[in-house]
Amino acid sequence: DALRGVALFGIVFFNIRVFSGWSLMSEEQRVTLWGVAAQGYDLVVKVLFAGKFYTLFSLLFGIGFAVQLSRLEAGGKQATVVYLRRLSILLLIGAIHMFLMWPGDILMSYALLGFLLLALHRFSDKSILSLAGITFSIPIFGYLMAWASNFSMDLGLYQIGRASLVTHFPEFNGEILPLLKSESWADFFAFNISLAWLRFGQLLDSWRFVKLIFVMLVGMWCGRQIIRGHLLYNDVLLKRVAVIGLSVGLFVSYLTRDLGTASIFSGPPDLLGFKRNVAYMFSVFPMGFAYGAIFVLIWNRSPKLLEFLSSAGRMALTNYLMQSIICLTIFYGIGLNYAGDLGPVAIGSWACLIFLFQLAFSTLWLSLFKYGPLEWVWRCLTYGKFLPLIRD
């Protein structure tokens, strides 16, 4: 739970760049407006945050999958049926979030890949690690094959998204930021639905689904080791992961800091896209795993330093969706309309304030109730019965 709280902070710190319109401006625009501070902020986010905390979140999803399924099976319940229902509800929540609130949603991807994990859960530990190794290599070699054949991996979804934007916004010229600032709710929903198509195209184009299943498979293996008591106190392994992961991840992240990120309007595969893809694999994942290992090493020695984060992690679903609601309220035209107006210090400060608020809210809520509000709804629907919420 505490590690999940860390992941939530990293996610809001990174995602707020999109909500605030920062990542929708060109580097030249950002430097012109905010100078050296813009370059420093981009460097910190690129090296320390980009993708690293979603790696943690995905790893925890795989760990949670292994642990929850083990508990269900041990309790004599119909584990597969219960977990299928759990994933189906998560898929619905993710769809509502993606199409009606924010296209950057990750819950739908997790739910869809969760079905694949369920199909693989009978595999041995060795087979799971072998599959993880295969999925790690697929984005690299797959991109090369797509590049060689000039095959666009978005499967036409970019074109659908663009057409939808032009249909709803005839004046659209490729600039997304002005659409964020529209004060019309009709424009807001039309914008989200159009961007959702582009988002799906980007997930395919960047091989994100394969990358996520790689991390989840590693997480499933970790979850099995945790159940057997073979991982959390294995200091030798954790230190190796921390040292190697940080060394490789920091080096590659810094070395490739100027490659930029894949655009939702990118064309067919090319050399730059291939470099970005390889850089992602060897920077994001090693550092994400290293962050997790460092956290566990610190926890084992001084858990009281970190346990305050657990309340936010216990309400991860509620807090993840709450981050979207708060950011929409602050930055979009349907709210306070600050998109594109704030510099790096203000944006970073807002991210920290949002997470501190979530920590306080989660602690207060869980002192009165057994589950977070959305966690409770999810749990009731999963088990098909009304569960007590208020603490005795």
Side-chain angles (χ1 to χ4, degrees):
D1 290 331
L3 183 54
R4 196 174 285 113
V6 172
L8 281 168
F9 169 70
I11 286 169
V12 72
F13 198 91
F14 184 77
N15 281 350
I16 200 169
R17 289 162 48 86
V18 182
F19 283 111
S20 67
W22 178 269
S23 64
L24 301 177
M25 294 187 285
S26 68
E27 183 179 356
E28 291 75 16
Q29 289 175 308
R30 298 195 292 261
V31 172
T32 299
L33 291 171
W34 291 283
V36 177
Q39 294 175 315
Y41 175 61
D42 284 338
L43 178 63
V44 168
V45 172
K46 168 64 179 175
V47 174
L48 299 181
F49 285 87
K52 282 75 173 179
F53 290 90
Y54 270 116
T55 296
L56 266 184
F57 222 46
S58 305
L59 186 73
L60 288 164
F61 185 87
I63 292 173
F65 171 85
V67 173
Q68 291 160 8
L69 208 61
S70 175
R71 287 175 179 171
L72 288 171
E73 290 175 339
K77 298 180 176 66
Q78 292 179 301
T80 302
V81 174
V82 171
Y83 212 85
L84 279 172
R85 195 180 302 133
R86 177 181 175 85
L87 290 172
S88 299
I89 296 164
L90 183 63
L91 183 64
L92 176 61
I93 294 172
I96 294 171
H97 184 225
M98 172 172 274
F99 286 96
L100 300 183
M101 292 175 62
W102 190 54
D105 169 78
I106 197 65
L107 300 177
M108 277 192 71
S109 300
Y110 281 15
L112 291 170
L113 295 176
F115 292 118
L116 180 57
L117 289 183
L118 200 57
L120 301 173
H121 83 280
R122 296 293 182 189
F123 282 39
S124 67
D125 291 359
K126 184 177 180 180
S127 297
I128 292 297
L129 284 181
S130 297
L131 281 173
I134 293 170
T135 52
F136 180 85
S137 64
I138 286 175
I140 298 174
F141 293 103
Y143 194 96
L144 281 174
M145 292 175 65
W147 183 16
S149 59
N150 199 34
F151 180 74
S152 295
M153 283 302 302
D154 66 281
L155 303 183
L157 293 178
Y158 285 162
Q159 185 176 354
I160 294 173
R162 286 194 199 97
S164 180
L165 281 172
V166 171
T167 300
H168 291 100
F169 308 98
E171 72 284 0
F172 177 68
N173 62 357
E175 294 290 330
I176 300 292
L177 182 57
L179 302 182
L180 266 62
K181 298 183 75 65
S182 172
E183 298 179 6
S184 164
W185 279 94
D187 285 353
F188 170 74
F189 289 120
F191 166 75
N192 272 344
I193 292 171
S194 299
L195 263 289
W197 291 111
L198 292 170
R199 169 65 172 170
F200 273 119
Q202 187 183 35
L203 291 173
L204 293 171
D205 191 31
S206 62
W207 297 81
R208 182 67 63 85
F209 289 115
V210 182
K211 294 171 181 175
L212 285 175
I213 198 63
F214 157 68
V215 181
M216 290 178 183
L217 287 170
V218 175
M220 188 196 300
W221 179 86
C222 289
R224 292 179 177 183
Q225 307 314 305
I226 290 171
I227 292 169
R228 298 172 188 143
H230 296 165
L231 181 62
L232 293 182
Y233 299 98
N234 188 341
D235 281 8
V236 174
L237 176 60
L238 292 171
K239 288 177 180 177
R240 286 177 180 171
V241 171
V243 172
I244 296 173
L246 272 186
S247 301
V248 174
L250 282 172
F251 175 74
V252 177
S253 294
Y254 183 78
L255 190 67
T256 59
R257 65 193 182 279
D258 296 325
L259 289 179
T261 56
S263 167
I264 56 176
F265 297 111
S266 61
D270 55 18
L271 179 59
L272 179 59
F274 177 69
K275 289 179 179 178
R276 286 172 177 163
N277 213 26
V278 174
Y280 190 98
M281 304 299 291
F282 289 96
S283 62
V284 167
F285 297 142
M287 281 190 69
F289 295 155
Y291 285 170
I294 292 169
F295 180 92
V296 175
L297 287 168
I298 296 173
W299 178 276
N300 288 343
R301 286 156 179 77
S302 303
K304 290 187 177 181
L305 287 175
L306 302 169
E307 62 185 8
F308 73 96
L309 296 162
S310 61
S311 58
R314 286 178 61 194
M315 291 173 47
L317 178 62
T318 296
N319 283 321
Y320 175 71
L321 296 178
M322 187 194 300
Q323 289 175 0
S324 294
I325 294 171
I326 293 173
C327 288
L328 290 174
T329 303
I330 296 170
F331 298 109
Y332 276 43
I334 56 173
L336 300 177
N337 206 8
Y338 281 120
D341 298 336
L342 302 182
V345 175
I347 294 171
S349 298
W350 268 116
C352 294
L353 287 172
I354 290 169
F355 183 68
L356 288 174
F357 166 75
Q358 291 189 312
L359 274 178
F361 173 76
S362 300
T363 301
L364 176 61
W365 180 276
L366 291 173
S367 69
L368 303 172
F369 304 100
K370 295 180 178 181
Y371 315 102
L374 284 178
E375 285 73 16
W376 177 70
V377 172
W378 191 14
R379 197 176 183 89
C380 289
L381 292 174
T382 296
Y383 290 101
K385 59 182 179 181
F386 185 87
L387 298 170
L389 176 61
I390 299 175
R391 289 191 177 279
D392 295 334

